[in-house]
Amino acid sequence: IESSAAVDAAARLLDGAGAANLPIWVMIETPLGTLNVAEIAAHPRVACLVLGTNDLLNDLRAVATPDRLPLLTALSLAVAAARAHGKVVLDGVYNAFRDEAGFEAEAAQGRLLGMEGKTLIHPLQIAIANRVYAPNPAAIERARADLAAFDAALARGEGIAVVDGRMVENLHAAAARRLIAEADAIARIETAASDAASV
């Protein structure tokens, strides 16, 4: 997808086929799509941006490198557009599916950039992606401690808490709530999957 007009066209086709209001996931995989990613993310039918990094790298005539330096601008623009418009953003695939260390490093980079997940091409990548993108127990514990301290500070009429020498304010409390909600959602999915498997 390279423009919001293209999303409009896809939406009309879906609506005509009886899929009115179906959320649309779009691939951002061209230089023009990258330049228009904010406009695309703003479209009300778009729910998720998916980076097509292989095609983008090819169209940029760039060289693939382990640090993905040629793609960092495009990746960051997509994350910024997704955050600005409240959409999900997924990182592109890693081709060398047997290279678990390389895949993990690339997934970790995507997580650091703000991606919410990574598209996969092989089942070997599932466990690594889940480990990289799921909140780890230490982060969840810290989020709960931050939130408890912040709520206690608010109850005392204070706007800031201090936890282990770190300042915790509104933005940290919001991040803690988001992380806890994500962990709780994953736990619900895992419980449902476990229950279904035992039936």
Side-chain angles (χ1 to χ4, degrees), residues 77 114 132 180 196:
L77 285 171
V132 169
I180 292 166

Side-chain angles (χ1 to χ4, degrees), residues 119-171:
T119 52
L120 311 178
I121 59 169
H122 195 277
L124 288 173
Q125 299 174 328
I126 295 170
I128 297 170
N130 284 343
R131 183 174 66 252
V132 169
Y133 282 96
N136 67 56
I140 296 166
E141 184 177 324
R142 186 174 66 240
R144 292 189 195 284
D146 287 356
L147 195 54
F150 182 74
D151 289 344
L154 287 181
R156 293 189 303 270
E158 301 168 1
I160 296 174
V162 177
V163 178
D164 298 329
R166 293 179 295 106
M167 180 180 74
V168 177
E169 58 179 328
N170 291 4
L171 68 100

Side-chain angles (χ1 to χ4, degrees), residues 13-36:
L13 289 171
L14 288 168
D15 292 350
N21 301 316
L22 181 72
I24 298 173
W25 289 30
V26 297
M27 294 286 295
I28 304 298
E29 57 186 355
T30 66
L32 186 57
T34 298
L35 292 174
N36 291 332

Side-chain angles (χ1 to χ4, degrees), residues 68-86:
R68 298 199 296 175
L69 185 61
L71 292 173
L72 288 182
T73 297
L75 297 173
S76 295
L77 285 171
V79 170
R83 295 294 83 77
H85 297 288

Side-chain angles (χ1 to χ4, degrees), residues 59-143:
D59 287 0
L60 290 172
R61 300 180 192 161
V63 176
T65 60
D67 62 6
R68 298 199 296 175
L69 185 61
L71 292 173
L72 288 182
T73 297
L75 297 173
S76 295
L77 285 171
V79 170
R83 295 294 83 77
H85 297 288
K87 308 300 169 75
V88 173
V89 60
L90 301 178
D91 199 357
V93 300
Y94 186 77
N95 296 325
F97 63 88
R98 295 194 190 281
D99 176 10
E100 294 182 6
F103 174 75
E104 185 161 359
E106 189 170 291
Q109 180 196 46
R111 172 98 176 166
L112 288 173
L113 289 171
M115 300 285 177
E116 287 149 311
K118 188 159 183 63
T119 52
L120 311 178
I121 59 169
H122 195 277
L124 288 173
Q125 299 174 328
I126 295 170
I128 297 170
N130 284 343
R131 183 174 66 252
V132 169
Y133 282 96
N136 67 56
I140 296 166
E141 184 177 324
R142 186 174 66 240

